[in-house]
Amino acid sequence: MDESLKKTLHRDTLAVREAVERSPFGENSEALYLTSGYVQRSAESAAQRFAGDEEGFTYGRYGNPTTASFEQRLAALEGAEACMATASGMSAILLMCLGLLKAGDHVVCSQSMFGSTIKLIGSDLAKFGVESSFVPQTDVSAWKAAIKPNTRLLFAETPTNPLTEVCDIAALADIAHNAGAQLCVDNCFATPALQRPMALGADIVMHSGTKYLDGQGRVMAGALCASQQLVTEKFLPVLKSAGMTLAPFNAWVMLKGLETLDIRMRAQSANALALGQWLEAHPAVARVYCPGLASHPQHALAMQQQSGVGGAVLSFDVKASSPEQARARAFHVLDALRVLSLSTNLGDTKTLCAHPASTSHGRLTEAQRQAAGIGQGLIRVAVGLEHITDIQADLARGLETLP
Ligand SMILES: *Cc1c(COP(=O)(O)O)cnc(C)c1O
């Protein structure tokens, strides 16, 4: 499709149309190119391609046409110049850090980020001399106060897992740019269907494609969206040497997932809001964390930043008088489920329920968990596409028979 026509098209159209050129066979659904190598036209052309002076594929670790289609489609949805796909969300974060940071550099992150992100940046990269500070997600002044002369990167995730805390992307972009640093946003929970961080000033958008981009819980994937310059000069060289390449089959699943992303996100978010309202009125529930509810502390910011939609993940605390009782009650609710899945994944059309304190956040110390506000009575629900009445009834089984 030529660039001038592409510029006139809406995101919904690009979500189903943007891809590399069709093959001479004229397939309507994008082809899945399962190949690790490529046959070169001539020795001279091969030399040019390896030198980066001619467009074209050379080796599966460096690129693949199916993967390129996924990258182009996601970049179009995020409003980014370019995108680099990776094998998982965590490998996208590793690729970004290896590409942008060196020993002696400093990163500022929210203390409520995804557990593995805290581990990777706070512990694994610390071994290589990368410093980090973890600040309260919603406190803009704390982000500002954490800036040091060697700060190169601010890394935010909004809404967060599992408490759905929302940070102000535009405010963090200003802080980063005033300090000569870059802002990366993990856009896993909102997806470009609801939130486009680059339009708010973010330099990089990171994805775990494993979640809503696939949307049906099938394969792992990750991605970084950024300027063409960052992708070509900082990320591609690391991908080539470190090899966190996305498999073509997984890229193809992602490509197909993006076609229905918008309608899935809106339908699942509507289910989540209805479930949040029901839980908030339930006598066994102490508190509900759901950006779509007026009771959410950053409700107004979430509505403005996320196209008026709260997202499909919510969490709630069961009422209890001690951490031990809270854990027993949360386990009772989860063990009573007969339809919904007890699973730590999210972003599936099937509703998934989990106990963060003993699973996704189980590797954190008690102090880190408390700093992140994750209690023993907390249950996270990644709401899917089942009928809302059935979702409520399945949770009611445990909530109405608490020990
Ligand atoms: C799952 C997740 C990741 C990590 O992605 P993987 O694909 O599991 O490696 C990062 N950030 C958030 C918010 C996630 O939910």
Side-chain angles (χ1 to χ4, degrees):
M1 196 190 307
D2 68 84
E3 289 298 319
S4 57
L5 173 57
K6 209 187 284 179
K7 283 201 177 71
T8 68
L9 299 177
H10 296 82
R11 274 179 218 275
D12 291 349
T13 308
L14 294 172
V16 294
R17 292 283 171 185
E18 175 64 8
V20 300
E21 291 292 317
R22 284 193 177 100
S23 85
F25 294 118
E27 67 282 351
N28 187 47
S29 174
E30 293 77 14
L32 168 51
Y33 292 97
L34 285 179
T35 182
S36 48
Y38 302 88
V39 178
Q40 303 301 325
R41 278 188 289 116
S42 68
E44 181 54 34
S45 161
Q48 302 254 337
R49 285 180 179 187
F50 271 89
D53 296 333
E54 183 187 295
E55 290 251 334
F57 295 100
T58 52
Y59 182 54
R61 178 157 24 91
Y62 302 177
N64 172 283
T66 308
T67 307
S69 284
F70 164 55
E71 291 170 337
Q72 286 182 22
R73 193 170 283 181
L74 184 59
L77 295 185
E78 286 288 2
E81 281 174 13
C83 169
M84 174 133 281
T86 59
S88 66
M90 292 318 301
S91 64
I93 300 175
L94 179 64
L95 172 60
M96 171 177 68
C97 291
L98 291 176
L100 298 182
L101 304 173
K102 59 181 185 327
D105 286 348
H106 175 243
V107 185
V108 185
C109 292
S110 156
Q111 66 195 17
S112 334
M113 289 193 81
F114 188 64
S116 301
T117 306
I118 293 177
K119 266 278 194 244
L120 177 65
I121 294 181
S123 306
D124 299 319
L125 289 176
K127 289 195 294 190
F128 299 91
V130 173
E131 290 176 42
S132 51
S133 303
F134 293 89
V135 298
Q137 165 86 353
T138 58
D139 184 350
V140 175
S141 60
W143 286 82
K144 202 167 181 173
I147 299 285
K148 298 184 190 186
N150 55 340
T151 304
R152 294 285 168 270
L153 180 69
L154 274 67
F155 190 14
E157 175 188 322
T158 183
T160 56
N161 174 37
L163 295 179
T164 70
E165 293 174 301
V166 176
C167 66
D168 187 334
I169 296 173
L172 297 187
D174 276 348
I175 294 173
H177 299 153
N178 287 334
Q182 312 211 55
L183 173 67
C184 175
V185 174
D186 179 335
N187 203 21
C188 179
F189 271 48
T191 84
L194 309 184
Q195 170 174 281
R196 285 175 284 276
M198 299 196 70
L200 300 166
D203 303 282
I204 304 158
V205 173
M206 174 255 143
H207 273 287
S208 166
T210 316
K211 313 296 167 55
Y212 292 103
L213 304 190
D214 169 5
Q216 293 166 67
R218 297 166 294 193
V219 300
M220 309 281 303
L224 296 172
C225 296
S227 66
Q228 187 67 58
Q229 190 185 7
L230 269 187
V231 169
T232 312
E233 293 176 12
K234 301 290 184 189
F235 301 151
L236 183 60
V238 177
L239 181 93
K240 285 181 166 181
S241 55
M244 53 284 271
T245 311
L246 180 62
F249 176 77
N250 294 7
W252 181 81
V253 173
M254 293 292 138
L255 189 63
K256 295 284 119 186
L258 289 182
E259 295 181 7
T260 55
L261 178 67
D262 195 87
I263 55 172
R264 280 188 283 108
M265 284 309 291
R266 284 173 203 285
Q268 291 179 223
S269 297
N271 257 357
L273 180 57
L275 181 66
Q277 286 161 342
W278 178 81
L279 285 167
E280 206 163 41
H282 199 287
V285 172
R287 186 171 167 190
V288 182
Y289 306 83
C290 173
L293 291 175
S295 60
H296 189 280
Q298 297 93 40
H299 173 67
L301 174 62
M303 290 301 101
Q304 174 216 325
Q305 201 165 256
Q306 297 173 204
S307 322
V309 181
V313 176
L314 63 78
S315 291
F316 65 96
D317 274 312
V318 291
K319 270 189 194 155
S321 52
S322 69
E324 294 71 31
Q325 190 191 36
R327 185 180 174 104
R329 289 189 158 187
F331 278 25
H332 174 83
V333 172
L334 292 170
D335 289 337
L337 297 172
R338 286 169 56 197
V339 179
L340 310 184
S341 309
L342 177 54
S343 172
T344 54
N345 194 15
L346 65 98
D348 200 312
T349 48
K350 296 179 169 66
T351 297
L352 311 178
C353 304
H355 183 249
S358 63
T359 57
S360 56
H361 293 68
R363 279 197 289 166
L364 303 183
T365 64
E366 192 53 38
Q368 282 174 319
R369 236 189 334 262
Q370 277 181 8
I374 292 152
Q376 293 293 340
L378 189 73
I379 293 175
R380 188 194 71 191
V381 188
V383 182
L385 286 176
E386 299 94 340
H387 196 283
I388 182 63
T389 309
D390 296 333
I391 298 174
Q392 289 164 353
D394 214 36
L395 284 164
R397 265 182 251 286
L399 285 173
E400 274 148 36
T401 56
L402 286 177

